[in-house]
Amino acid sequence: MVAIDLDGVTKRYGDVTALQRVDLSVESGEVFGFLGPNGAGKSTTIDILLDHARPTAGRASVLGMDAQQETVSVRERTGVLPEQFGPLGEMTGRQHVEFTVEAKDADDDPDHIMERVGIGHAADRPASGYSKGMTQRLMLGMALVGQPELLILDEPTTGLDPNGARQMRQIVRDEAERGATVFFSSHILEQVEAVCDRVGILDEGNLVAVDSIDGLREAAGTTGEIAVTLDTLPDGIESDVEAIDGVTSVRVETDTLTAGCENPAKGEVVRACQAAGATVEDIETSEASLEDLFATYTGGA
């Protein structure tokens, strides 16, 4: 089943085009990362999925339902952690969760929810006094009520410390294991790379890439690195390695030669060092990071 389906979705605000003929399918049970520079159209896409905005052209469906015609049914089956939310009232954290449980006609235990998101100790405190990170955890807890089929998380790690971000990632994994679909919008690339099955990159309203991170690396031809530690650095080894097809950069530090190169060239780098008379004592390789891929697909934005 397709959990999210966008077909030619365009959104204009006057002379500004926020989305341009976006086609996107997210499969049920998938953790999908949605990336893009500020102003790329990520929040507009989420607004259309939740019927907070109507597309100028095209069609959006969520969990097999028309996002604009079956809004109530979509929201009943979707948990949302928005990027921005208004100030919380004087109710306690537990009361906020209790209100959500009642509104969704669910049977969740509010205390279990509070413990799960790491703020059980503050359940009886007014939520208006929560820190940014605690508020983020509370909003996540409210999104989890009712075991939604789809979770839409917009910048979910904002305000969280490293432990909070780690806990957020674990909850995302747990929800996916339960069978939920997670649509994860973030500008913190390490968080996306850690949990997502596939990634979509939006740039200036255009969906410029959709694939697994490994697939994006292969399609972009983005380089990783190989660091070769040698017993000695032969004369001319830098020039020899620079001449290898697929090598984009070479630097030497003490007894280590590091080459930026595509994966097929890494073996050639090692063989060139051996052919020059050096003994290879250690090898370390790395792939292009998601940050590198993001820069490649968005022109360095």
Side-chain angles (χ1 to χ4, degrees), residues 64-203:
M65 297 175 286
D66 188 293
Q68 277 64 59
Q69 300 300 320
E70 300 172 88
T71 305
V72 174
S73 295
V74 167
R75 292 181 183 176
E76 286 175 346
R77 296 164 61 183
T78 302
V80 182
L81 172 57
E83 180 184 11
Q84 297 179 341
F85 36 82
L88 299 177
E90 290 303 314
M91 291 194 301
T92 66
R94 180 189 288 107
Q95 288 171 330
H96 275 85
V97 177
E98 288 173 342
F99 177 83
T100 306
V101 170
E102 183 177 348
K104 288 194 171 184
D105 194 25
D107 59 0
D108 297 79
D109 178 359
D111 288 320
H112 173 72
I113 292 282
M114 297 290 284
E115 290 291 342
R116 186 180 180 194
V117 297
I119 52 174
H121 64 283
D124 294 318
R125 287 168 47 186
S128 58
Y130 282 7
S131 67
K132 172 64 177 175
M134 292 173 66
T135 301
Q136 195 79 349
R137 290 170 182 260
L138 175 60
M139 298 301 292
L140 173 62
M142 294 165 67
L144 294 172
V145 167
Q147 294 193 321
E149 296 174 50
L150 170 65
L151 274 171
I152 295 179
L153 308 180
D154 195 357
E155 301 292 353
T157 56
T158 299
L160 296 181
D161 60 21
N163 287 334
R166 188 180 306 112
Q167 190 170 24
M168 173 77 72
R169 294 194 300 270
Q170 186 58 54
I171 288 173
V172 167
R173 294 187 189 101
D174 291 343
E175 288 300 295
E177 202 169 289
R178 176 178 65 79
T181 305
V182 184
F183 190 76
F184 188 114
S185 173
S186 180
H187 70 283
I188 302 178
L189 304 182
E190 295 85 350
Q191 307 296 345
V192 174
E193 188 166 16
V195 298
C196 293
D197 300 310
R198 287 194 305 148
V199 173
I201 300 177
L202 198 66
D203 188 32

Side-chain angles (χ1 to χ4, degrees), residues 41 43 50 65 92 158 171 202 218 226 269 296:
S43 293
L50 298 174
M65 297 175 286
T92 66
T158 299
I171 288 173
L202 198 66
E218 184 175 350
I226 181 168
V269 172
T296 298

